Amino acid sequence: MTARADRRPLPGVVGRAVEHELVSGLLGSAPLVTLTGAAGVGKSLLARAVLEEHTARHDGTILRVGCWDGLAEGGLLAALLREARTADGARRNTATALVGRTAPPCVGDPVGGGAGRADAPTGRTPADDTAIAALAAHCRRSRATVLLDDCDPLRDECAQLVRQLLRADPTLRIVATARGALGLTEEQIVEIAPLPVTLGEGIAGPAVELLATRAGAATPELLVAVCQALEGSPLAIALAAQQLDRMSLPQLAAQVGSDGPLFYSGPAATVRHTSLYAAQAAGYALCSPTDRRVWARLSVLPGDFDPWLAGCVCTSCDVPAAAVEGALERLLTASVIERVRDAGGAQEDTGAALPPRYRLPRAARDFGRTQLREAGEESAALRRFRQACAALAAEAQIAWQGPNQQVAVRLVEDEQANLDAALTRPPQDAEDALGALEIAVSLWFHWAACGFRREGRAHLDRLLLLSRDDTALRARALWLAGYLAAQEHSLGAAEALLDQAWTAAVMHADSDGLARIAHAHGVLALYRGNSAAAVACLEEAARHRSRDPWFGPGPAHSWALLAVALSSLDAERAREAARRAWEARHSDGDFWLYSTVLYAGAAIERVHGEPAAALRACSKALAAKKLIGDPLFIAGARNMLAGLRREVRGGEPLPDREEEDPWWRPGGPGVPPQPFFSRLRRSLEGRGGRVRPTGGHAV
């Protein structure tokens, strides 16, 4: 433990102007201000900087006691009394003037004090009351502010000391720093977050400024990349910057951008700040065995998570399911995990109550993963994680066929990082590979209907190589890969995959699979411009009575696409197909079907009816499709809409259908290919919050 009246100048505190002003303002009115935050976020540095300025302005002193490095004899109270005596001696040139008359046992012989020690009696003694009174008198006389730094290992003792001091003199000013609050009614809490990396497009944030002061002249993009990978943690940035003595900034950026742990180390004022590992280990040591296990198992989660997913990953014979939520709250209080969404809100689209969501920062995740490996539990936790993601994907698939497809879109949106990891992490064995393939197949609607076709194909191509057993799941995966290839206009690949899917469907007597294959061949015929073949295939698919309504485009979607294929050939048959499509729907919330039926209606009216009617139908189709995202369809509908508006308003003739690109053709306007979930991520980053997924259209 350290205790001193520290008046040394501190280095500049980067990026904390708002927090500095807030703490300074609270010092004027609040008896206790506690700075909380994760390990290495800069709580102590900011507290000392604020107090240096405050005491200089009021000609006062700081009585600081640090709690991490072990207690000297006599505990917290005795340490503060010794510090008060030292400070008083420096001012008045006497070592015993403060407490020589009132508390000789506590000041002259710290061993006799005993207050604050872990093994000391908790009851107060007359000597304690005398010492508290003497300390309060010194603080009044010297205009001293008490700084209880890093209270976590002595949280209860610090809280008790604060109560006693404020009872002796309510006008005292006390500042505390800790990973969690002290829990007192008088307490004003200031949460210290990591430094922002950017302040807007093209504007570097304080985290980049901090790294730039250590890295010197450097490419801004590399500085931003390093700070983003380190999540704006001042300690992580400082330790990473020390590595520039032995590597270049591009090498550092590549290293921090990898998936491995970042246990950088270097000289620091305290032992726990010499490495990211040591900083996390200090907090880990204060956790209960259950909280440690939960922390370690949460490290397999790459993104944010809700209590359900945490329970799936963490529950085992030594961690009951009922104990997980309590552990989450304790880890949140200790600033090990972050809350990214509070409970109690409601979904905009459905009104359903939203559970809280949490996140394990990278430094804590790296540390927890190390503990998980050392305990030999990593394999089991990863398997539970993939099983939980398979359940999430199955839930999303069922929700897609339910009354509101936006529920499914939102679920995939919330769990994008976890689903991505479950799909891309190498499987441990054949059973694990099947679990990953099951996730990819369950998300068929995300790939095919919401436009993430390229991502879906990449996952399926890789997972099909790892899952070669002849199973019904593999048969579905072959069909989905062929369907996505057809949508991507990879006609040769689509035919080969659909041939394999046909063989598998016959072997498994899967009539639903044969109907889905016919639907996919209808898509291929549409891409080739063979309307007659498309009509024949889609009629075959539409006549089938589906036994499994949860997977793939059913008869209703085949009828809707048949109406599109017939729109230029036979208006009456096309209208009948559109009517039957809507009658065969599973629910009124099927926006995918609704938009396709409306588009078919617009195409029919465009050729055989009135431009004004086509305009109305096309506008509705565009609005419906925007609810689930589909850039190719949206681009095609907008093109048709623009032409119809010119026709309706100015009498300008519509362009010849042969001269226009069909709405389903890949490479439509404004749809650059991007891998995996990148389109959704880019939208989230650009808008600073939740968006609906976007992607190419599925027919």
Side-chain angles (χ1 to χ4, degrees):
M1 182 176 70
T2 60
R4 61 185 178 274
D6 200 341
R7 298 295 300 270
R8 294 174 300 166
L10 293 171
V13 181
V14 177
R16 297 300 188 192
V18 174
E19 295 91 338
H20 190 291
E21 182 177 356
L22 178 57
V23 175
S24 297
L26 289 173
L27 278 175
S29 58
L32 172 63
V33 180
T34 303
L35 281 63
T36 65
V41 82
K43 303 179 292 294
S44 297
L45 185 63
L46 176 61
R48 291 180 59 195
V50 172
L51 288 179
E52 286 287 351
E53 180 182 295
H54 177 80
T55 54
R57 190 166 57 243
H58 295 88
D59 190 27
T61 60
I62 304 171
L63 298 184
R64 176 186 177 274
V65 62
C67 304
W68 268 111
D69 301 326
L71 280 176
E73 294 288 353
L76 286 171
L77 179 56
L80 282 171
L81 286 168
R82 287 193 299 272
E83 180 55 28
R85 183 176 60 185
T86 301
D88 197 51
R91 281 174 165 244
R92 301 171 54 187
N93 195 27
T94 174
T96 59
L98 171 63
V99 291
R101 297 185 304 272
T102 57
C106 293
V107 179
D109 181 11
V111 178
R117 294 178 58 183
D119 57 350
T122 58
R124 293 173 58 189
T125 66
D128 291 334
D129 293 337
T130 302
I132 289 291
L135 181 59
H138 168 80
C139 290
R140 283 194 304 271
R141 183 170 57 254
S142 302
R143 300 186 181 89
T145 302
V146 176
L147 173 57
L148 300 177
D149 209 1
D150 300 320
C151 297
D152 301 283
L154 301 174
R155 181 176 178 273
D156 292 340
E157 290 87 340
C158 288
Q160 181 182 8
L161 178 60
V162 169
R163 289 192 193 96
Q164 293 172 349
L165 286 172
L166 294 181
R167 188 178 298 115
D169 186 352
T171 66
L172 290 182
R173 292 294 177 261
I174 303 172
V175 175
T177 67
R179 302 185 188 191
L182 299 183
L184 301 177
T185 56
E186 305 89 344
E187 188 173 31
Q188 294 291 325
I189 301 170
V190 179
E191 296 183 5
I192 310 300
L195 294 172
V197 177
T198 59
L199 300 177
E201 188 173 354
I203 303 176
V208 177
E209 179 185 350
L210 178 62
L211 180 60
T213 59
R214 317 253 179 139
T219 306
E221 289 78 11
L222 289 177
L223 295 174
V224 170
V226 170
C227 292
Q228 285 178 335
L230 298 177
E231 300 180 346
S233 167
L235 177 61
I237 292 171
L239 292 173
Q242 294 178 11
Q243 313 311 306
L244 294 174
D245 294 337
R246 59 184 182 85
M247 67 175 67
S248 66
L249 184 61
Q251 290 173 324
L252 178 63
Q255 191 174 87
V256 300
S258 65
D259 291 333
L262 303 175
F263 291 143
Y264 296 135
S265 61
T270 60
V271 173
R272 70 183 183 284
H273 287 154
T274 56
S275 73
L276 295 175
Y277 184 93
Q280 297 299 324
Y284 186 78
L286 300 178
C287 293
S288 68
T290 295
D291 293 354
R292 292 179 185 180
R293 295 187 185 102
V294 170
W295 179 346
R297 293 168 188 176
L298 289 176
S299 67
V300 303
L301 300 176
D304 54 72
F305 53 88
D306 61 14
W308 178 86
L309 183 56
C312 290
V313 170
C314 298
T315 299
S316 65
C317 60
D318 54 359
V319 178
V324 174
E325 286 202 41
L328 291 177
E329 286 302 312
R330 289 189 294 274
L331 293 174
L332 178 67
T333 300
S335 296
V336 175
I337 63 175
E338 302 170 351
R339 188 172 2 233
V340 298
R341 185 179 72 193
D342 291 329
Q347 291 184 355
E348 296 177 5
D349 306 319
T350 66
L354 291 170
R357 291 191 73 84
Y358 306 95
R359 175 181 172 274
L360 191 64
R362 180 171 184 175
R365 189 165 64 246
D366 287 348
F367 179 86
R369 197 65 171 269
T370 301
Q371 304 307 309
L372 196 65
R373 290 192 183 114
E374 291 179 355
E377 296 184 2
E378 184 179 30
S379 176
L382 285 171
R383 194 177 299 276
R384 290 195 298 268
F385 167 66
R386 186 164 272 140
Q387 291 169 349
C389 287
L392 285 170
E395 180 184 351
Q397 176 185 223
I398 294 172
W400 176 262
Q401 302 286 24
N404 193 336
Q405 290 177 342
Q406 291 169 288
V407 173
V409 170
R410 178 70 63 81
L411 180 56
V412 175
E413 182 181 292
D414 281 349
E415 304 296 345
Q416 57 168 320
N418 296 313
L419 293 170
D420 193 8
L423 287 166
T424 56
R425 284 175 176 169
Q428 302 178 62
D429 49 35
E431 181 183 357
D432 207 27
L434 279 177
L437 186 63
E438 182 182 359
I439 296 171
V441 170
S442 294
L443 292 176
W444 69 269
F445 68 91
H446 182 69
W447 320 127
C450 298
F452 293 84
R453 300 170 298 174
R454 187 180 302 273
E455 298 89 321
R457 280 192 69 189
H459 287 308
L460 288 164
D461 289 348
R462 174 173 42 80
L463 293 172
L464 280 168
L465 292 174
L466 300 174
S467 307
R468 293 188 172 276
D469 291 343
D470 183 18
T471 62
L473 177 63
R474 179 177 170 82
R476 288 190 173 193
L478 287 167
W479 167 82
L480 180 56
Y483 185 40
L484 296 176
Q487 293 177 323
E488 286 228 293
H489 216 262
S490 300
L491 304 186
E495 287 182 334
L497 287 164
L498 291 174
D499 285 346
Q500 295 180 58
W502 185 87
T503 301
V506 170
M507 290 184 62
H508 289 279
D510 183 4
S511 59
D512 285 0
L514 294 173
R516 287 190 288 267
I517 292 168
H519 181 99
H521 278 295
V523 172
L524 282 172
L526 275 177
Y527 278 137
R528 291 188 168 113
N530 189 341
S531 297
V535 168
C537 291
L538 292 168
E539 282 182 334
E540 178 183 348
R543 284 194 297 267
H544 173 72
R545 187 176 295 276
S546 177
R547 293 180 298 177
D548 180 6
W550 306 113
F551 180 74
H557 288 276
S558 297
W559 282 115
L561 198 57
L562 177 61
V564 174
L566 288 168
S567 61
S568 61
L569 303 176
D570 189 327
E572 185 175 348
R573 288 177 64 196
R575 290 191 176 97
E576 174 62 16
R579 182 187 65 79
R580 296 191 66 173
W582 189 240
E583 288 178 348
R585 69 189 184 278
H586 286 299
S587 73
D588 292 340
D590 191 339
F591 297 110
W592 184 31
L593 175 65
Y594 184 50
S595 58
T596 308
V597 170
L598 286 169
Y599 185 91
I604 296 167
E605 295 298 332
R606 176 189 184 201
V607 178
H608 304 285
E610 294 292 332
L615 179 64
R616 290 191 296 272
C618 190
S619 298
K620 291 180 180 178
L622 182 60
K625 189 59 73 172
K626 286 180 177 178
L627 294 175
I628 56 174
D630 198 342
L632 281 179
F633 184 103
I634 291 170
R638 283 175 173 165
N639 287 341
M640 178 189 284
L641 204 58
L644 288 168
R645 283 171 177 162
R646 290 194 299 269
E647 170 73 7
V648 170
R649 294 172 183 173
E652 182 179 332
L654 290 170
D656 185 15
R657 287 181 60 85
E658 297 298 325
E659 298 176 358
E660 278 195 334
D661 287 339
W663 55 268
W664 54 79
R665 178 168 295 169
V671 190
Q674 297 176 21
F676 301 101
F677 287 89
S678 57
R679 283 195 289 272
L680 181 55
R681 290 192 181 119
R682 179 168 296 182
S683 298
L684 285 167
E685 292 170 358
R687 302 186 186 188
R690 182 188 55 80
V691 296
R692 305 185 191 284
T694 58
H697 178 65
V699 294

